[in-house]
Short mmCIF file of all heavy atoms in Angstrom, two decimals:
data_model
loop_
_atom_site.label_atom_id
_atom_site.label_comp_id
_atom_site.label_asym_id
_atom_site.label_seq_id
_atom_site.Cartn_x
_atom_site.Cartn_y
_atom_site.Cartn_z
N GLN W 732 4.68 -18.98 -13.23
CA GLN W 732 3.80 -18.77 -12.07
C GLN W 732 3.21 -17.36 -12.10
O GLN W 732 2.03 -17.16 -11.79
CB GLN W 732 4.61 -18.97 -10.79
CG GLN W 732 3.80 -18.87 -9.51
CD GLN W 732 4.69 -19.00 -8.29
OE1 GLN W 732 5.68 -18.28 -8.15
NE2 GLN W 732 4.36 -19.93 -7.41
N LEU W 733 4.01 -16.39 -12.52
CA LEU W 733 3.53 -15.02 -12.60
C LEU W 733 2.37 -14.90 -13.57
O LEU W 733 1.38 -14.20 -13.29
CB LEU W 733 4.68 -14.10 -13.03
CG LEU W 733 4.34 -12.62 -13.24
CD1 LEU W 733 3.94 -11.98 -11.92
CD2 LEU W 733 5.52 -11.88 -13.86
N VAL W 734 2.48 -15.57 -14.71
CA VAL W 734 1.39 -15.53 -15.70
C VAL W 734 0.10 -16.04 -15.07
O VAL W 734 -0.97 -15.43 -15.23
CB VAL W 734 1.76 -16.35 -16.94
CG1 VAL W 734 0.56 -16.47 -17.88
CG2 VAL W 734 2.94 -15.73 -17.68
N GLU W 735 0.17 -17.17 -14.38
CA GLU W 735 -1.04 -17.76 -13.80
C GLU W 735 -1.58 -16.90 -12.66
O GLU W 735 -2.79 -16.79 -12.48
CB GLU W 735 -0.74 -19.18 -13.31
CG GLU W 735 -0.29 -20.13 -14.40
CD GLU W 735 -1.26 -20.16 -15.57
OE1 GLU W 735 -2.49 -20.19 -15.34
OE2 GLU W 735 -0.80 -20.14 -16.73
N GLN W 736 -0.69 -16.32 -11.87
CA GLN W 736 -1.14 -15.52 -10.72
C GLN W 736 -1.77 -14.20 -11.15
O GLN W 736 -2.81 -13.79 -10.61
CB GLN W 736 0.04 -15.25 -9.79
CG GLN W 736 0.52 -16.46 -9.02
CD GLN W 736 1.75 -16.15 -8.19
OE1 GLN W 736 2.47 -15.18 -8.44
NE2 GLN W 736 2.01 -16.98 -7.17
N ARG W 737 -1.15 -13.52 -12.12
CA ARG W 737 -1.62 -12.19 -12.49
C ARG W 737 -2.63 -12.21 -13.62
O ARG W 737 -3.32 -11.22 -13.85
CB ARG W 737 -0.43 -11.30 -12.87
CG ARG W 737 0.64 -11.19 -11.81
CD ARG W 737 0.08 -10.83 -10.43
NE ARG W 737 -0.55 -9.55 -10.40
CZ ARG W 737 0.08 -8.40 -10.12
NH1 ARG W 737 1.37 -8.42 -9.85
NH2 ARG W 737 -0.56 -7.26 -10.09
N ALA W 738 -2.72 -13.30 -14.36
CA ALA W 738 -3.73 -13.47 -15.41
C ALA W 738 -3.86 -12.23 -16.30
O ALA W 738 -4.86 -11.49 -16.22
CB ALA W 738 -5.08 -13.83 -14.79
N PRO W 739 -2.88 -11.95 -17.14
CA PRO W 739 -2.94 -10.76 -18.00
C PRO W 739 -4.22 -10.66 -18.82
O PRO W 739 -4.70 -9.54 -19.10
CB PRO W 739 -1.71 -10.91 -18.89
CG PRO W 739 -0.76 -11.75 -18.10
CD PRO W 739 -1.64 -12.71 -17.34
N TRP W 740 -4.80 -11.77 -19.23
CA TRP W 740 -6.02 -11.76 -20.02
C TRP W 740 -7.20 -11.17 -19.25
O TRP W 740 -8.10 -10.58 -19.83
CB TRP W 740 -6.34 -13.17 -20.50
CG TRP W 740 -6.27 -14.20 -19.41
CD1 TRP W 740 -7.27 -14.60 -18.57
CD2 TRP W 740 -5.12 -14.94 -19.01
NE1 TRP W 740 -6.83 -15.54 -17.68
CE2 TRP W 740 -5.49 -15.79 -17.93
CE3 TRP W 740 -3.80 -14.98 -19.46
CZ2 TRP W 740 -4.60 -16.65 -17.30
CZ3 TRP W 740 -2.92 -15.85 -18.84
CH2 TRP W 740 -3.31 -16.66 -17.77
N THR W 741 -7.14 -11.31 -17.91
CA THR W 741 -8.17 -10.70 -17.08
C THR W 741 -7.89 -9.22 -16.88
O THR W 741 -8.81 -8.38 -16.95
CB THR W 741 -8.25 -11.41 -15.71
OG1 THR W 741 -8.55 -12.79 -15.92
CG2 THR W 741 -9.32 -10.78 -14.83
N LEU W 742 -6.63 -8.88 -16.62
CA LEU W 742 -6.27 -7.47 -16.45
C LEU W 742 -6.60 -6.66 -17.70
O LEU W 742 -7.00 -5.49 -17.61
CB LEU W 742 -4.76 -7.35 -16.16
CG LEU W 742 -4.26 -7.96 -14.84
CD1 LEU W 742 -2.74 -7.91 -14.79
CD2 LEU W 742 -4.87 -7.21 -13.65
N ALA W 743 -6.45 -7.28 -18.87
CA ALA W 743 -6.69 -6.56 -20.12
C ALA W 743 -8.15 -6.14 -20.30
O ALA W 743 -8.45 -5.21 -21.07
CB ALA W 743 -6.27 -7.43 -21.30
N LYS W 744 -9.05 -6.77 -19.56
CA LYS W 744 -10.47 -6.44 -19.69
C LYS W 744 -10.85 -5.20 -18.88
O LYS W 744 -11.96 -4.67 -19.05
CB LYS W 744 -11.31 -7.63 -19.24
CG LYS W 744 -11.12 -8.87 -20.09
CD LYS W 744 -11.91 -10.05 -19.52
CE LYS W 744 -11.69 -11.32 -20.34
NZ LYS W 744 -12.44 -12.48 -19.77
N ASP W 745 -9.96 -4.76 -17.98
CA ASP W 745 -10.28 -3.65 -17.08
C ASP W 745 -9.34 -2.48 -17.38
O ASP W 745 -8.15 -2.52 -17.04
CB ASP W 745 -10.12 -4.10 -15.64
CG ASP W 745 -10.55 -3.04 -14.64
OD1 ASP W 745 -10.89 -1.92 -15.08
OD2 ASP W 745 -10.51 -3.32 -13.43
N PRO W 746 -9.83 -1.40 -17.99
CA PRO W 746 -8.97 -0.25 -18.29
C PRO W 746 -8.28 0.32 -17.06
O PRO W 746 -7.17 0.87 -17.16
CB PRO W 746 -9.95 0.77 -18.89
CG PRO W 746 -11.07 -0.07 -19.44
CD PRO W 746 -11.21 -1.22 -18.49
N ALA W 747 -8.87 0.17 -15.88
CA ALA W 747 -8.25 0.70 -14.67
C ALA W 747 -7.00 -0.07 -14.28
O ALA W 747 -6.20 0.40 -13.47
CB ALA W 747 -9.26 0.66 -13.52
N GLN W 748 -6.82 -1.25 -14.85
CA GLN W 748 -5.66 -2.08 -14.54
C GLN W 748 -4.58 -1.99 -15.63
O GLN W 748 -3.69 -2.82 -15.68
CB GLN W 748 -6.11 -3.55 -14.41
CG GLN W 748 -7.09 -3.80 -13.29
CD GLN W 748 -6.45 -3.60 -11.92
OE1 GLN W 748 -5.30 -3.95 -11.70
NE2 GLN W 748 -7.21 -3.00 -11.01
N ALA W 749 -4.66 -0.95 -16.46
CA ALA W 749 -3.73 -0.85 -17.59
C ALA W 749 -2.28 -0.78 -17.12
O ALA W 749 -1.40 -1.43 -17.69
CB ALA W 749 -4.07 0.38 -18.43
N ASP W 750 -2.01 0.02 -16.07
CA ASP W 750 -0.63 0.13 -15.58
C ASP W 750 -0.14 -1.19 -15.00
O ASP W 750 1.04 -1.57 -15.17
CB ASP W 750 -0.53 1.23 -14.52
CG ASP W 750 -0.67 2.63 -15.12
OD1 ASP W 750 -0.53 2.75 -16.35
OD2 ASP W 750 -0.91 3.58 -14.35
N VAL W 751 -1.03 -1.89 -14.32
CA VAL W 751 -0.66 -3.20 -13.75
C VAL W 751 -0.32 -4.18 -14.86
O VAL W 751 0.66 -4.91 -14.79
CB VAL W 751 -1.80 -3.75 -12.87
CG1 VAL W 751 -1.43 -5.14 -12.34
CG2 VAL W 751 -2.10 -2.80 -11.72
N LEU W 752 -1.15 -4.17 -15.90
CA LEU W 752 -0.90 -5.06 -17.04
C LEU W 752 0.46 -4.73 -17.68
O LEU W 752 1.22 -5.64 -18.02
CB LEU W 752 -2.01 -4.93 -18.07
CG LEU W 752 -1.83 -5.73 -19.37
CD1 LEU W 752 -1.73 -7.23 -19.07
CD2 LEU W 752 -2.98 -5.45 -20.34
N ASP W 753 0.75 -3.44 -17.84
CA ASP W 753 2.04 -3.05 -18.42
C ASP W 753 3.20 -3.58 -17.58
O ASP W 753 4.20 -4.08 -18.13
CB ASP W 753 2.13 -1.53 -18.53
CG ASP W 753 1.29 -0.98 -19.68
OD1 ASP W 753 0.94 -1.77 -20.58
OD2 ASP W 753 1.02 0.23 -19.68
N ARG W 754 3.08 -3.46 -16.25
CA ARG W 754 4.16 -3.93 -15.37
C ARG W 754 4.34 -5.44 -15.49
O ARG W 754 5.46 -5.95 -15.50
CB ARG W 754 3.89 -3.53 -13.92
CG ARG W 754 4.14 -2.07 -13.63
CD ARG W 754 4.28 -1.83 -12.14
NE ARG W 754 3.09 -2.22 -11.39
CZ ARG W 754 2.05 -1.43 -11.18
NH1 ARG W 754 2.05 -0.19 -11.68
NH2 ARG W 754 1.01 -1.84 -10.49
N VAL W 755 3.23 -6.16 -15.58
CA VAL W 755 3.30 -7.61 -15.70
C VAL W 755 3.96 -8.01 -17.02
O VAL W 755 4.86 -8.86 -17.05
CB VAL W 755 1.89 -8.25 -15.60
CG1 VAL W 755 1.95 -9.73 -15.95
CG2 VAL W 755 1.32 -8.04 -14.21
N LEU W 756 3.54 -7.39 -18.09
CA LEU W 756 4.11 -7.72 -19.40
C LEU W 756 5.59 -7.36 -19.47
O LEU W 756 6.40 -8.12 -20.01
CB LEU W 756 3.33 -7.00 -20.51
CG LEU W 756 1.89 -7.45 -20.71
CD1 LEU W 756 1.21 -6.60 -21.79
CD2 LEU W 756 1.82 -8.93 -21.09
N LEU W 757 5.95 -6.19 -18.90
CA LEU W 757 7.36 -5.82 -18.89
C LEU W 757 8.17 -6.81 -18.05
O LEU W 757 9.29 -7.18 -18.41
CB LEU W 757 7.55 -4.41 -18.36
CG LEU W 757 9.01 -3.92 -18.29
CD1 LEU W 757 9.64 -3.93 -19.67
CD2 LEU W 757 9.09 -2.54 -17.66
N GLY W 758 7.60 -7.25 -16.93
CA GLY W 758 8.29 -8.23 -16.09
C GLY W 758 8.54 -9.52 -16.84
O GLY W 758 9.63 -10.11 -16.74
N LEU W 759 7.55 -9.96 -17.63
CA LEU W 759 7.73 -11.18 -18.42
C LEU W 759 8.79 -10.98 -19.50
O LEU W 759 9.64 -11.85 -19.72
CB LEU W 759 6.40 -11.58 -19.06
CG LEU W 759 5.31 -12.05 -18.08
CD1 LEU W 759 3.99 -12.23 -18.81
CD2 LEU W 759 5.72 -13.36 -17.41
N LEU W 760 8.74 -9.83 -20.18
CA LEU W 760 9.73 -9.57 -21.24
C LEU W 760 11.15 -9.51 -20.67
O LEU W 760 12.07 -10.11 -21.22
CB LEU W 760 9.40 -8.26 -21.95
CG LEU W 760 8.15 -8.24 -22.83
CD1 LEU W 760 7.87 -6.82 -23.33
CD2 LEU W 760 8.30 -9.20 -24.00
N GLU W 761 11.31 -8.80 -19.56
CA GLU W 761 12.65 -8.66 -18.98
C GLU W 761 13.13 -9.97 -18.35
O GLU W 761 14.31 -10.31 -18.43
CB GLU W 761 12.65 -7.54 -17.94
CG GLU W 761 12.87 -6.18 -18.52
CD GLU W 761 14.24 -6.06 -19.17
OE1 GLU W 761 15.24 -5.85 -18.45
OE2 GLU W 761 14.34 -6.20 -20.40
N GLY W 762 12.20 -10.68 -17.74
CA GLY W 762 12.58 -11.97 -17.17
C GLY W 762 13.01 -12.95 -18.24
O GLY W 762 14.03 -13.65 -18.09
N LEU W 763 12.26 -13.00 -19.34
CA LEU W 763 12.62 -13.89 -20.44
C LEU W 763 13.93 -13.46 -21.09
O LEU W 763 14.73 -14.30 -21.52
CB LEU W 763 11.50 -13.92 -21.48
CG LEU W 763 10.34 -14.86 -21.17
CD1 LEU W 763 9.14 -14.56 -22.06
CD2 LEU W 763 10.78 -16.32 -21.33
N ARG W 764 14.16 -12.16 -21.19
CA ARG W 764 15.43 -11.69 -21.75
C ARG W 764 16.59 -12.17 -20.89
O ARG W 764 17.62 -12.64 -21.39
CB ARG W 764 15.43 -10.16 -21.84
CG ARG W 764 16.65 -9.57 -22.55
CD ARG W 764 16.64 -8.05 -22.47
NE ARG W 764 16.77 -7.61 -21.09
CZ ARG W 764 17.94 -7.50 -20.44
NH1 ARG W 764 19.07 -7.79 -21.06
NH2 ARG W 764 17.96 -7.11 -19.19
N ALA W 765 16.44 -12.07 -19.57
CA ALA W 765 17.49 -12.54 -18.66
C ALA W 765 17.70 -14.04 -18.80
O ALA W 765 18.84 -14.53 -18.84
CB ALA W 765 17.14 -12.18 -17.22
N VAL W 766 16.60 -14.78 -18.90
CA VAL W 766 16.70 -16.24 -19.06
C VAL W 766 17.44 -16.59 -20.35
O VAL W 766 18.31 -17.47 -20.36
CB VAL W 766 15.29 -16.87 -19.07
CG1 VAL W 766 15.35 -18.32 -19.56
CG2 VAL W 766 14.68 -16.82 -17.68
#
């Protein structure tokens, strides 16, 4: 659900959203590690 809501592919197009994209990707990595 997070992937669909935050749409990393859209965030990646906007340099101003770089920190947001990093947080989303880290959340996915850490969430998957926990899973």
Side-chain angles (χ1 to χ4, degrees):
Q732 184 184 53
L733 176 66
V734 172
E735 299 307 317
Q736 289 176 340
R737 304 310 298 270
W740 48 89
T741 301
L742 295 173
K744 297 176 182 179
D745 185 355
Q748 298 292 321
D750 288 344
V751 177
L752 176 60
D753 284 342
R754 285 198 300 273
V755 171
L756 293 177
L757 179 60
L759 292 172
L760 290 173
E761 275 296 280
L763 277 166
R764 186 186 65 82
V766 167

